[in-house]
Amino acid sequence: MVLGKGASSSLSRKMVDGAEDMVSNCNDFTVLVVDDDPVIRKLHDMHLKKFGLSAQVVENGKTAVDLCHFGATFNLILMDKEMPIMDGVEATKELRAMGVNSLIVGVTSRDSQYETQAFMEAGLDFCFEKPLTADKISFILQELNKKN
Amino acid sequence: MDIVSQLQRQFIDYSASLHHEGFVDDQFTQLQKLQDENSPDFVVEVASLFFEDCEKLINNMARALEQQQGVDFKQVDASVHQLKGSSSSIGAVRVKNVCISFRSFCEAQNREGCLRCLQQVTHEYSLLKNKLQTLFRLEQQLLAAGGSIK
């Protein structure tokens, strides 16, 4: 699932300020959005589009784990915490156990410190409260550029 | 004042009133900013998804609270939690605030309190739906007349 080098993006998309510098790097990044809420999935997908990224979206942790198990690789995974079938904490643990070293960013609407800590301990790189904003995405992409 | 300016004024004023009356917050403005020529119906699409989601979640809560044998408050809370998340992401402040109280009643396993919150959340959702549908209508009129919302 990793895009080949030289894959082009549509530069006619309206880009957020300062994103132009990241575009040439962004074209090669693959993103997975894991969230059971269709509103959030659409919102995160749109935010990512603004940075020239298109994301694969799935509804729960199990689907995410299965995708990776069958060979899909992603540079970035946006992982919701509360999901049916398999939640974000469990999915993150499984992905790390499988050797997945994508940047995994937790996204949660619970603001209790204890919950965030447990989520981080499962293997997240960062954890943010919903909703993701352009600033947070910008930060995440900077970290992604550093990592790759 | 020509017709486009009038319609523009109407749209701006109505949009401002939604903020002043606390129906939506800055998060909604962020949504409007995300909309562009490649996704001209983005806000309407997100709002539609939200309303569908609301209806489904409200039905889940109602069914769970109706159980005479014993209410599964965890189940109610799960739906309220999801509604809180999506209302917060779309900027639906009043709906979100009811969800916050609703969760306290779930935690306290207070069925009466939960039922009151269910009524409130249903009411706020209907109000918001009307308000946003009006906003979208005003937007359509403005665009049809050759104006723009930016």
Side-chain angles (χ1 to χ4, degrees):
Chain A
M1 275 242 21
V2 178
L3 291 174
K5 300 267 176 214
S8 63
S9 82
S10 162
L11 288 173
S12 61
R13 281 197 231 270
K14 192 168 103 175
M15 296 291 179
V16 297
D17 294 338
E20 292 82 6
D21 302 334
M22 288 193 242
V23 170
S24 55
N25 290 318
C26 284
N27 290 348
D28 299 338
F29 290 154
T30 49
V31 187
L32 179 66
V33 173
V34 191
D35 203 305
D36 62 336
D37 186 345
V39 176
I40 305 285
R41 287 199 300 268
K42 193 170 176 76
L43 197 56
H44 287 175
D45 185 49
M46 188 65 175
H47 269 300
L48 292 164
K49 274 199 177 85
K50 290 293 191 183
F51 285 92
L53 291 166
S54 66
Q56 194 159 341
V57 290
V58 297
E59 287 181 19
N60 65 63
K62 180 154 193 317
T63 316
V65 168
D66 287 345
L67 265 182
C68 293
H69 179 72
F70 287 112
T73 59
F74 301 97
N75 298 109
L76 170 66
I77 301 177
L78 297 179
M79 183 78 80
D80 182 30
K81 185 170 176 292
E82 311 285 332
M83 289 180 288
I85 304 173
M86 186 189 286
D87 71 11
V89 177
E90 206 44 55
T92 305
K93 281 185 191 160
E94 292 223 5
L95 289 173
R96 291 305 190 204
M98 276 166 55
V100 168
N101 64 355
S102 317
L103 195 76
I104 306 184
V105 176
V107 182
T108 176
S109 56
R110 287 207 194 260
D111 41 16
S112 113
Q113 215 166 7
Y114 171 73
E115 308 267 357
T116 306
Q117 196 182 335
F119 202 2
M120 285 295 296
E121 282 167 5
L124 295 180
D125 293 291
F126 299 101
C127 193
F128 290 117
E129 239 181 81
K130 284 184 207 186
L132 285 184
T133 58
D135 290 343
K136 290 172 187 170
I137 305 238
S138 192
F139 171 83
I140 291 167
L141 291 177
Q142 272 169 28
E143 293 299 315
L144 209 49
N145 274 323
K146 278 188 215 165
K147 192 177 155 104
N148 287 283
Chain B
M1 213 193 245
D2 66 79
I3 189 76
V4 173
S5 305
Q6 249 180 62
L7 290 173
Q8 201 149 41
R9 181 85 265 152
Q10 252 177 19
F11 176 81
I12 291 172
D13 287 349
Y14 196 76
S15 205
S17 77
L18 293 188
H19 282 85
H20 289 148
E21 289 165 29
F23 282 102
V24 297
D25 65 13
D26 187 57
Q27 186 55 28
F28 186 73
T29 314
Q30 296 302 317
L31 279 191
Q32 290 173 307
K33 286 186 183 162
L34 278 175
Q35 185 164 290
D36 61 20
E37 53 280 351
N38 288 313
S39 308
D41 300 316
F42 176 68
V43 182
V44 171
E45 285 167 5
V46 175
S48 304
L49 272 177
F50 174 66
F51 293 136
E52 269 170 39
D53 215 20
C54 260
E55 277 169 39
K56 186 191 82 180
L57 292 170
I58 287 174
N59 282 336
N60 289 348
M61 294 170 204
R63 261 202 316 275
L65 286 167
E66 265 165 30
Q67 299 303 317
Q68 291 307 326
Q69 309 92 299
V71 175
D72 184 349
F73 286 100
K74 275 209 164 73
Q75 203 184 2
V76 183
D77 185 65
S79 294
V80 179
H81 168 75
Q82 199 176 334
L83 185 57
K84 178 174 169 259
S86 52
S87 59
S88 164
S89 295
I90 193 179
V93 180
R94 282 158 68 144
V95 174
K96 182 191 79 175
N97 287 340
V98 177
C99 289
I100 294 174
S101 318
F102 204 153
R103 296 201 74 202
S104 308
F105 285 116
C106 286
E107 219 167 320
Q109 307 211 350
N110 181 336
R111 188 167 176 264
E112 285 313 308
C114 283
L115 285 169
R116 270 198 312 275
C117 283
L118 180 63
Q119 217 174 16
Q120 263 181 291
V121 93
T122 308
H123 176 68
E124 288 299 340
Y125 148 72
S126 303
L127 279 179
L128 179 65
K129 191 171 180 182
N130 275 337
K131 293 281 180 182
L132 288 184
Q133 281 172 342
T134 306
L135 183 72
F136 296 145
R137 245 191 336 270
L138 287 174
E139 182 184 325
Q140 283 312 305
Q141 281 170 13
L142 175 58
L143 293 174
S148 83
I149 57 169
K150 302 271 176 194

